[in-house]
């Protein structure tokens, strides 16, 4: 009998040790929903693409043969960094020739001036000599500028998108040699159908969710809408980030954009799915997600249930919270959770 008890105790010890040996803490996964103002606004979700605000084509201000390309496609360059150089041998000779002419004419003008002061040279001859020196000085400066134009520098910080020519090739002045992406400012492009475009005056707010962390919503501002539909009858929206600091953005990234459309009805009531509310000690609560991915109880007051079976909240919410949609009975105050993204009508299968 003692051996049997001892074996059972050892089995329990081994079982507990194996179960907790990994040291991993279980994190519960939840889905979220935003309170919708009753009769006030509704939400529409669309897929968007992060784009650079502008693309700059860099070219030399003078013609010549490319001597060296100093960057590669994909390189990040700083403002003022050298990116390409032309063969400047002929330009240096041109500057040297004009410099010799200028120095010689300057000596002649100095002698003419001395003669003019002694009234040995007419005013007309003296002024013509001075004008000739000034004209040669301008030509010399133009040659020096052309010599400087053989060095192509980046006007902004950005990434090299494309290099259109190779070394030893001839290029004309202004020919695009390098395409540079301006990473100083990013924006999101979204295509919306006509039923959303016609309601553009009633956009109450737009937020963006990144694919790596859909629990965080980034506020956006509307920069412009293309007034003409494309072949698919879609209108393109350009959205700017209100704040881009510490946001991991790259050109071509897929994001989710949520547009709030106002119904022009003033109401202090909000609608939530019925399963997002729960009772505790005679009061009604919802779980609200905090910035640190933890959930906290918020007390609410219910007015009733609408025709769709959702609860109508009369107080306790401001409308910008992210509320846990389901599984509320298993959560605890301050518990850290993992946010799962809901499937979108425009993102079937969660491919974005």
């Amino acid at each position: 009998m003692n051996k049997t008890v001892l074996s059972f105790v050892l089995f329990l010890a081994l079982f507990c040790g194996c179960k907790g040996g990994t040291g991993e803490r279980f994190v519960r996964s939840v889905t979220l929903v935003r309170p919708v103002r009753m009769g006030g606004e509704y939400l529409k979700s669309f897929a968007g693409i992060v784009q650079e605000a502008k693309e700059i084509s860099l070219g030399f201000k003078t013609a010549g043969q490319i001597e060296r390309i100093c960057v590669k496609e994909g390189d990040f360059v700083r403002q003022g960094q050298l990116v390409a150089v032309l063969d400047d041998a002929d330009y240096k000779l041109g500057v040297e020739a004009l410099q010799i002419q200028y120095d010689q004419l300057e000596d002649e003008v100095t002698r003419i001036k001395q003669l003019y002061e002694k009234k040995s040279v007419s005013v007309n001859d003296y002024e013509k000599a001075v004008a000739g020196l000034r004209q040669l000085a301008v030509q010399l400066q133009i040659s020096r500028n052309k010599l400087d134009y053989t060095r192509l520098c980046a006007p902004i910080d950005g990434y090299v998108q494309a290099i259109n020519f190779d070394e030893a090739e001839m290029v004309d002045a202004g020919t695009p040699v390098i395409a540079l992406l301006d990473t100083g400012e990013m924006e999101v492009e979204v295509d919306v159908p006509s039923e959303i475009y016609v309601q553009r005056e009633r956009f109450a707010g737009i937020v963006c969710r990144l694919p790596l962390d859909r629990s965080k919503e980034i506020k956006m501002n509307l920069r412009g809408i293309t007034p003409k539909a494309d072949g698919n009858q879609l209108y393109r929206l350009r959205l700017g980030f209100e704040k881009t600091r510490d946001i991991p953005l790259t050109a071509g990234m897929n994001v989710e954009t949520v547009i709030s459309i106002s119904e022009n009805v003033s109401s202090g009531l909000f609608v939530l799915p019925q399963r997002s509310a729960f009772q505790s000690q005679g009061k009604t609560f919802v779980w609200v997600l905090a910035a640190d991915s933890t959930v906290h109880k918020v007390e609410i007051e219910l007015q009733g249930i609408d025709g769709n079976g959702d609860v109508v909240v009369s107080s306790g919410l401001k409308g910008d919270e992210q509320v846990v949609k389901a599984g509320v009975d298993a959560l605890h105050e301050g518990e850290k959770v993992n946010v799962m993204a809901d499937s979108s009508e425009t993102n079937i299968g969660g491919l974005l």
Side-chain angles (χ1 to χ4, degrees), residues 74 95 101 153 161 169 217 228-229 243 283 305 325:
V95 171
Q101 293 180 33
C153 297
Q161 173 73 3
E169 289 192 271
E217 295 183 344
K228 182 179 180 181
K243 296 180 180 179
K283 299 180 181 180
I305 299 177
K325 187 176 181 179

Side-chain angles (χ1 to χ4, degrees), residues 279-304:
Q279 298 284 331
S280 177
Q281 298 179 352
K283 299 180 181 180
T284 305
F285 297 88
V286 293
W287 292 108
V288 174
L289 184 72
D292 59 355
S293 297
T294 59
V295 292
H296 303 275
K297 284 196 302 184
V298 174
E299 183 180 356
I300 60 173
E301 291 186 8
L302 301 182
Q303 180 170 316

Side-chain angles (χ1 to χ4, degrees), residues 42 48 50 52 56 69 85 124 133 154 240 274 279 290 297 307 316 321 348:
Y42 63 95
V50 178
E52 66 284 351
I56 300 176
I69 300 291
V85 178
N124 185 47
L133 181 63
Q274 188 170 356
Q279 298 284 331
K297 284 196 302 184
E321 299 90 348
I348 299 175

Side-chain angles (χ1 to χ4, degrees), residues 106-352:
E106 187 178 30
D107 293 339
E108 291 181 7
V109 171
T110 301
R111 291 193 296 269
I112 292 174
K113 183 179 179 181
Q114 294 174 355
L115 295 174
Y116 170 72
E117 291 174 349
K118 296 178 180 179
K119 300 186 184 301
S120 299
V121 175
S122 65
V123 176
N124 185 47
D125 291 341
Y126 173 69
E127 290 179 350
K128 287 172 63 177
V130 173
L133 181 63
R134 291 176 58 188
Q135 184 177 5
L136 192 58
V138 172
Q139 294 177 6
L140 177 59
Q141 186 59 50
I142 292 174
S143 294
R144 288 172 176 169
N145 290 344
K146 288 183 177 180
L147 179 60
D148 292 337
Y149 295 158
T150 60
R151 296 169 58 85
L152 184 61
C153 297
I156 57 171
D157 294 348
Y159 285 92
V160 178
Q161 173 73 3
I163 299 176
N164 303 322
F165 291 88
D166 293 324
E167 295 178 357
E169 289 192 271
M170 297 293 297
V171 292
D172 291 329
T175 302
V177 176
I178 294 175
L180 192 64
L181 296 181
D182 181 6
T183 59
E185 191 174 3
M186 291 287 192
E187 63 183 21
V188 174
E189 292 184 354
V190 184
D191 293 329
V192 298
S194 57
E195 58 266 24
I196 300 299
Y197 172 76
V198 297
Q199 301 180 77
R200 60 191 181 278
E201 299 296 334
R202 295 196 279 114
F203 287 178
I206 304 176
V207 297
C208 170
R209 297 170 182 163
L210 301 184
L212 298 179
D213 189 358
R214 295 185 180 273
S215 64
K216 293 183 180 179
E217 295 183 344
I218 306 168
K219 291 184 178 181
M220 312 291 290
N221 53 65
L222 181 61
R223 290 184 173 176
I225 305 178
T226 303
K228 182 179 180 181
D230 60 13
N232 297 319
Q233 294 301 300
L234 297 175
Y235 296 82
R236 176 153 297 180
L237 275 63
R238 292 176 50 248
L239 308 175
F241 293 90
E242 289 191 359
K243 296 180 180 179
T244 57
R245 186 176 181 181
D246 300 329
I247 301 177
L249 298 174
T250 58
M253 175 186 291
N254 293 319
V255 296
E256 179 188 7
T257 57
V258 181
I259 303 176
S260 301
I261 302 176
S262 173
E263 294 281 9
N264 292 329
V265 177
S266 177
S267 172
L269 304 179
F270 294 95
V271 177
L272 284 173
Q274 188 170 356
R275 54 185 178 173
S276 64
F278 64 96
Q279 298 284 331
S280 177
Q281 298 179 352
K283 299 180 181 180
T284 305
F285 297 88
V286 293
W287 292 108
V288 174
L289 184 72
D292 59 355
S293 297
T294 59
V295 292
H296 303 275
K297 284 196 302 184
V298 174
E299 183 180 356
I300 60 173
E301 291 186 8
L302 301 182
Q303 180 170 316
I305 299 177
D306 67 2
N308 297 321
D310 296 328
V311 295
V312 180
V313 181
S314 59
S315 66
L317 298 177
K318 294 183 291 185
D320 58 352
E321 299 90 348
Q322 295 187 82
V323 179
V324 175
K325 187 176 181 179
V328 296
D329 294 331
L331 297 176
H332 302 282
E333 179 66 25
E335 181 179 354
K336 193 174 185 66
V337 296
N338 177 45
V339 177
M340 297 179 60
D342 273 344
S343 59
S344 170
E345 297 178 359
T346 59
N347 183 24
I348 299 175
L351 298 178
L352 297 182

